[in-house]
């Protein structure tokens, strides 16, 4: 018989953490989304076009992040988020390897037995029908397809997201909190940087920047696209300086094809090629104190 969870405190916590029940601050107006995708696709080759994500949990989308680069009112708020991110990464760095494929036969057998028990318990605790919210549907599907393996892959995705956020916060520390004043036009630079990275990743080339010698208006597809995006986002800045800055700061890594999730996180080759072996899959160490 399927066991029903009666832990009111746990269910309350799940309800409070269900972000898809309310509108996320990163969701955008559908009309703005359409305009942004149209502008971006105008500068990309036909076979490199970007499309909005679709799914039960997708409420609004953009071809790249359009949020303000700094969202903290105080340094204490900034340091608190940085602590949460780095401690979560440290926890995942210890947690994920525990469940990866082992080369030792006895250890692998133990892991297989644990997986069976873990999957059964996740199925017991999965939400029952009728399912009222999308997150409960996701939890139910995760339990059905294999709770442990699916959870580990979600943990890896979470680690990647946390790693990217840590990098953003460290850039913000240099730009905002270690200086007596904010860098000029930083929002414009951030948007230009995100668009330049998207273009580089999709085409393998750096975009170009330029302006008319007669009017000063943007003269390349990239800078024209930036002008349009700045207008949509109400960014009071010319396109040329942020475009030049973003292009100058592109790296060879930005021009390379995107690696698989595991390769990107230092976990080794894609599982389709090598498998998840503990001898090859190690989450990158954090910074040394």
């Amino acid at each position: 018989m399927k066991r029903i969870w009666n832990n009111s405190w746990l269910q309350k916590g799940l309800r409070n953490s269900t972000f898809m029940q309310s509108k996320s601050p990163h969701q955008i107006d559908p009309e703005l989304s359409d305009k942004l995708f149209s502008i971006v696709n105008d500068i990309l080759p036909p076979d490199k076009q970007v499309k909005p994500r679709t799914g039960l949990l997708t409420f609004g989308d953009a071809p790249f992040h359009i949020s303000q680069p700094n969202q903290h009112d105080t340094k204490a708020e900034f340091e608190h988020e940085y602590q949460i991110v780095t401690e979560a990464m440290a926890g995942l760095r210890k947690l994920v390897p525990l469940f990866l494929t082992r080369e030792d036969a006895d250890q692998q057998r133990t892991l297989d037995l644990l997986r069976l028990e873990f999957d059964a318990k996740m199925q017991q605790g999965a939400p029952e029908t009728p399912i009222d919210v999308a997150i409960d549907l996701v939890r139910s599907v995760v339990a059905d397809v294999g709770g442990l393996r699916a959870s580990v892959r979600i943990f890896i995705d979470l680690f990647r997201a946390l790693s990217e956020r840590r990098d953003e916060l460290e850039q913000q520390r240099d730009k905002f909190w270690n200086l007596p004043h904010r860098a000029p036009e930083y929002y414009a630079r951030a948007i230009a940087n995100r668009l330049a990275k998207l273009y580089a990743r999709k085409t393998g080339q750096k975009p170009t920047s330029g302006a008319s010698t007669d009017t000063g208006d943007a003269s390349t597809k990239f800078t024209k696209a930036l002008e349009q995006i700045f207008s949509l986002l109400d960014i009071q800045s010319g396109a040329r300086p942020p475009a030049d800055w973003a292009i100058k700061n592109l790296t060879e890594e930005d021009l390379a094809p995107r690696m698989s999730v595991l390769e990107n996180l230092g976990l080794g080759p894609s599982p389709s090629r090598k498998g998840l072996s503990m001898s090859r899959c190690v989450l990158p160490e954090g910074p040394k104190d």
Side-chain angles (χ1 to χ4, degrees), residues 75 78-79 82-83 167-179:
K75 188 171 183 178
F78 169 85
E79 293 294 352
Y82 187 79
Q83 179 184 6
D167 292 344
E168 292 173 353
L169 290 172
E170 289 176 348
Q171 291 175 10
Q172 288 180 26
R173 173 179 284 155
D174 293 337
K175 295 292 183 180
F176 291 104
W177 303 111
N178 289 345
L179 295 175

Side-chain angles (χ1 to χ4, degrees), residues 160-217:
R160 178 181 64 180
L162 288 167
S163 178
E164 292 175 356
R165 182 57 178 163
R166 179 202 57 193
D167 292 344
E168 292 173 353
L169 290 172
E170 289 176 348
Q171 291 175 10
Q172 288 180 26
R173 173 179 284 155
D174 293 337
K175 295 292 183 180
F176 291 104
W177 303 111
N178 289 345
L179 295 175
H181 56 79
R182 293 190 175 185
E185 300 179 342
Y186 192 70
Y187 190 21
R189 283 187 173 188
I191 294 298
N193 184 53
R194 294 165 189 169
L195 181 61
K197 285 179 178 291
L198 185 152
Y199 183 93
R201 186 178 73 249
K202 286 289 185 178
T203 67
Q205 299 176 347
K206 292 184 178 182
T208 58
S209 173
S212 169
T213 55
D214 296 327
T215 64
D217 294 335

Side-chain angles (χ1 to χ4, degrees), residues 145-157:
V145 301
L148 182 58
R149 289 178 177 174
S151 296
V152 168
R153 281 157 177 77
I154 292 172
F155 292 153
I156 292 172
D157 289 340

Side-chain angles (χ1 to χ4, degrees), residues 230-250:
F230 285 176
S231 177
L232 288 174
L233 300 180
D234 196 28
I235 297 175
Q236 305 299 317
S237 171
R240 180 69 186 276
D244 289 343
W245 179 87
I247 294 170
K248 179 181 178 181
N249 283 278
L250 287 174

Side-chain angles (χ1 to χ4, degrees), residues 61-105:
D61 199 13
F64 53 85
H65 291 303
I66 60 173
S67 58
Q68 290 274 4
N70 181 47
Q71 299 151 344
H72 307 93
D73 293 329
T74 66
K75 188 171 183 178
E77 288 182 359
F78 169 85
E79 293 294 352
H80 186 215
E81 181 182 344
Y82 187 79
Q83 179 184 6
I84 292 172
V85 170
T86 53
E87 289 184 2
M89 289 179 64
L92 287 170
R93 195 178 289 113
K94 294 179 179 179
L95 176 65
V96 170
L98 295 176
F99 301 111
L100 297 179
T101 301
R102 308 300 178 94
E103 293 183 347
D104 182 274

Side-chain angles (χ1 to χ4, degrees), residues 111-124:
L111 185 60
D112 290 339
L113 292 173
L114 174 62
R115 177 175 57 80
L116 293 175
E117 292 292 332
F118 187 92
D119 290 351
K121 287 178 171 26
M122 284 198 69
Q123 286 186 327
Q124 291 175 357

